[in-house]
Amino acid sequence: MKLKPNNFINHSPDHYASEYKIIQQTLLNLLDSPVIKTYHIGSTAIKGANTSGIIDILVIVKRLHEITTLDEKRLNLSGFYRLHHPYKKKCVFSQFDSLKTLNEQVRLHVVENDSKKQVQYLEGQRYLLNHIAEYNHFKQKIGAHLNLKQYEDEKSSWFLQCLSV
């Protein structure tokens, strides 16, 4: 699937805030939840941001190995499924509109408390808040000709480049 610039939506963050709050409560209220804290991150959390509509949530746990098979099953029952990719120092879960289309609605980025990865995410969000026009332009440019995986890879590279300056 190719992304097109007109696939981006420009909603107020309030549009996504209520959904984030519901998901946050679900995560914090899981039985024996290892979740310490959550943050609404990404473009759905920022006024004026072009977004594909996927709500990104940074989920903080004490240790990644606390996301056990039991926790994964609890998340599955809440509609979140683990994405098995070679992620470094994080786990990723997604919630889909249906298991037929697999269009993502929510993405959980699970990282350890006080880790380098947590700091990178929070620095990236601060950078995004201060450079949203530049980011919107970048997304419009790459979204027109890349497939979804390439698009996600380009966004990650953009953040790494911007944060390393």
Side-chain angles (χ1 to χ4, degrees):
M1 170 181 130
K2 296 257 189 221
L3 292 174
K4 302 273 188 269
N6 59 0
N7 287 10
F8 295 120
I9 326 164
N10 195 320
H11 285 298
S12 161
D14 296 339
H15 179 80
Y16 298 103
S18 61
E19 284 296 314
Y20 164 70
K21 289 289 185 197
I22 292 167
I23 296 162
Q24 178 187 45
Q25 286 308 305
T26 299
L27 294 172
L28 293 173
N29 292 329
L30 287 173
L31 182 64
D32 295 327
S33 176
V35 176
I36 297 171
K37 187 170 186 158
T38 67
Y39 297 90
H40 186 184
I41 61 171
S43 55
T44 59
I46 299 173
K47 182 178 180 167
N50 291 340
T51 178
S52 58
I54 298 170
I55 300 171
D56 287 292
I57 300 174
L58 181 61
V59 179
I60 310 300
V61 296
K62 285 183 186 173
R63 287 175 295 287
L64 274 181
H65 75 269
E66 290 179 341
I67 301 296
T68 63
T69 303
L70 182 58
D71 294 314
E72 195 167 327
K73 286 179 182 177
R74 288 181 184 134
L75 285 167
N76 290 165
L77 289 172
S78 297
F80 294 97
Y81 300 91
R82 189 172 186 163
L83 302 181
H84 293 278
H85 295 287
Y87 296 116
K88 294 182 181 178
K89 305 287 185 186
K90 75 174 185 176
C91 297
V92 177
F93 290 82
S94 284
Q95 187 177 59
F96 305 99
D97 64 349
S98 81
L99 294 179
K100 270 189 171 181
T101 63
L102 295 180
N103 291 321
E104 284 183 278
Q105 294 180 310
V106 179
R107 191 178 298 145
L108 306 177
H109 306 265
V110 183
V111 301
E112 288 186 356
N113 191 35
D114 297 326
S115 66
K116 183 178 179 181
K117 198 62 113 170
Q118 177 185 356
V119 170
Q120 287 173 330
Y121 270 103
L122 295 176
E123 284 177 358
Q125 189 65 16
R126 276 191 292 279
Y127 187 88
L128 194 57
L129 278 166
N130 295 316
H131 297 88
I132 196 59
E134 176 187 343
Y135 187 60
N136 282 345
H137 177 73
F138 171 76
K139 285 173 74 172
Q140 291 283 352
K141 185 174 77 174
I142 66 168
H145 65 281
L146 299 178
N147 67 38
L148 191 56
K149 177 168 181 0
Q150 293 167 328
Y151 172 78
E152 293 293 335
D153 289 345
E154 286 293 318
K155 285 192 328 184
S156 294
S157 295
W158 184 85
F159 272 108
L160 286 173
Q161 181 181 2
C162 292
L163 293 175
S164 67
V165 174

